[in-house]
Amino acid sequence: MKNKKGILTLVILVSVTGIGITRWCIERKPAGDTPKSADKKSDYYYCAMHPWFHQDHPGNCGICGMTLIKKEGGAPKEAAASAPAERKVKYWVDSMNPSFHQDHPGKAPDGMDLVPVYESQGTGEQEGVPEVLKGLASVDLSPFKQQLIGLRTALVEQKPVIRIIRTVGRYAGGPDNFAAAAGDFVADKRAHSGRSRYLVADVYALDIPYVKVGQTAWVSGFSGSGLRLEGRIVQIYPYDGTQSRVQRVKISLPPVSASELFANVEIEAASQPMLSVPTDAVMVTGLHRYVFVKKTLETFVPQEVTVGFEGDNQWQITSGLNAGETVVEGANFIVDADSKLTANFAAMESQDK
């Protein structure tokens, strides 16, 4: 009987001791320790072309529409804080035509639903960079690669910018043209006799500021036949109010016997020498413009520019470049693609850190 009581007492003492030790271990466990299952980071999905666009479920990129790629091992550091539901929408854009955007949801001209672009979207490493240069990076191309892709450069320099203003004119003048003689009398306050033929052309008001007396004007038959004559602007008539937003100019011609009433006119509107680059050097996003500046023998850097007078082959640069700099003129679309890929890969690497 005594042995049974002793065994029972021993069992109770061991149980109490075990409970005490277990409780002590739990209380001593560090507060930061969590089960291994809790340490596992959730997977997320991102766009290969726009790495800053990501979400916690499969789908398509809200910017370009590409299928999202699964990324295992954890979402980017800012993913939780930048969930679409918690971010402010910057604007709504057409995924097929990013140049079309507005400040409210709706339909794009092609009928697709506009997708939101959030203020926090970006690489996170381009704070303070102009909007047009976000997603771009400098490009390094060896001379061999430059030759392989047909890269050409142009110098930023002061030169006249020429725009060809195309319009239609009608023949007038001559000794038997009473209407023309009357018009000359009204314009010059004196009568003329035996005047040679000339041309009166209509120029839109938007082009009038670029038209000057003395500029060259090429005249050809309205039907496309006949010679192409070189004329000269000799007078810009005051606006007479008979046609909306149109003003007339007078073009002198060499002696000609015209068998047609109307003619095609091309006026060479040339500016004074101004800082300019070839039109092919400028990349246009729809809202902004930028060029790639050659900094070293192999390095090309994107640079935002502001354009002024736009000619047919040259554009005036009002800011962003200096005379003597070199910009990419040929194969700039390949350089642009390389620049965007470089920036995207850099963004992906920064997210993996």
Side-chain angles (χ1 to χ4, degrees):
M1 190 69 177
K2 291 182 178 180
N3 291 337
K4 292 182 178 180
K5 289 182 178 180
I7 293 172
L8 181 60
T9 302
L10 181 61
V11 170
I12 294 173
L13 289 174
V14 171
S15 301
V16 171
T17 303
I19 294 173
I21 293 174
T22 303
R23 187 172 181 180
W24 179 82
C25 290
I26 294 174
E27 292 176 352
R28 292 282 296 176
K29 187 176 183 179
D33 290 352
T34 56
K36 291 184 178 180
S37 60
D39 288 337
K40 184 180 179 181
K41 298 179 180 179
S42 60
D43 300 335
Y44 72 100
Y45 298 81
Y46 71 96
C47 175
M49 296 301 296
H50 306 91
W52 59 87
F53 184 91
H54 48 75
Q55 58 191 28
D56 58 0
H57 58 276
N60 297 328
C61 174
I63 300 176
C64 65
M66 292 183 62
T67 302
L68 299 181
I69 302 173
K70 184 178 181 180
K71 176 69 175 178
E72 298 180 353
K77 298 177 181 179
E78 74 280 7
S82 61
E86 300 177 3
R87 291 178 293 174
K88 183 178 179 181
V89 176
K90 189 174 182 180
Y91 53 83
W92 298 78
V93 66
D94 180 1
S95 60
M96 300 302 294
N97 181 21
S99 63
F100 179 86
H101 55 80
Q102 58 189 29
D103 57 0
H104 56 83
K107 295 282 187 180
D110 55 13
M112 296 182 63
D113 292 329
L114 298 178
V115 296
V117 174
Y118 300 95
E119 287 187 345
S120 59
Q121 288 180 358
T123 61
E125 298 182 354
Q126 295 182 315
E127 297 296 333
V129 176
E131 186 71 23
V132 65
L133 300 182
K134 290 184 178 179
L136 295 172
S138 60
V139 179
D140 292 326
L141 296 172
S142 66
F144 173 73
K145 289 184 179 179
Q146 296 178 33
Q147 183 179 8
L148 188 64
I149 65 176
L151 186 143
R152 301 192 315 275
T153 59
L155 195 64
V156 182
E157 57 184 341
Q158 297 276 349
K159 62 187 305 183
V161 177
I162 300 175
R163 175 193 292 181
I164 302 299
I165 299 174
R166 295 174 173 83
T167 182
V168 176
R170 56 192 174 279
Y171 290 102
D176 300 326
N177 192 330
F178 176 78
D184 289 340
F185 178 79
V186 172
D188 300 338
K189 304 302 181 185
R190 61 192 181 90
H192 300 278
S193 61
R195 295 294 301 269
S196 61
R197 296 186 69 84
Y198 59 88
L199 202 76
V200 176
D202 296 329
V203 178
Y204 284 106
L206 292 176
D207 292 324
I208 279 293
Y210 309 113
V211 177
K212 309 295 181 185
V213 172
Q215 288 176 335
T216 301
W218 294 95
V219 178
S220 59
F222 194 68
S223 63
S225 61
L227 298 176
R228 188 168 183 260
L229 302 175
E230 180 180 354
R232 193 74 57 181
I233 295 179
V234 294
Q235 187 173 356
I236 300 176
Y237 295 107
Y239 177 63
D240 58 10
T242 58
Q243 297 188 70
S244 177
R245 299 182 296 276
V246 171
Q247 200 164 336
R248 295 183 174 92
V249 298
K250 181 179 179 180
I251 301 171
S252 65
L253 296 173
V256 58
S257 176
S259 59
E260 301 182 50
L261 180 61
F262 296 98
N264 292 314
V265 179
E266 296 180 353
I267 300 173
E268 293 185 3
S271 70
Q272 296 296 320
M274 55 180 58
L275 195 67
S276 61
V277 298
T279 56
D280 291 339
V282 183
M283 307 294 295
V284 181
T285 66
L287 298 176
H288 305 278
R289 295 173 172 87
Y290 61 95
V291 299
F292 284 94
V293 181
K294 185 176 183 179
K295 293 297 186 180
T296 66
L297 182 64
E298 300 182 356
T299 304
F300 302 88
V301 179
Q303 174 64 46
E304 183 179 16
V305 296
T306 304
V307 174
F309 179 55
E310 299 181 4
D312 287 356
N313 300 314
Q314 293 280 127
W315 280 0
Q316 178 192 10
I317 300 297
T318 57
S319 66
L321 294 174
N322 297 314
E325 290 186 297
T326 302
V327 296
V328 177
E329 177 187 7
N332 51 1
F333 283 96
I334 300 178
V335 177
D336 183 62
D338 198 352
S339 174
K340 291 176 180 177
L341 285 174
T342 302
N344 286 340
F345 283 133
M348 293 171 66
E349 291 177 359
S350 66
Q351 287 182 351
D352 290 338
K353 292 180 180 180

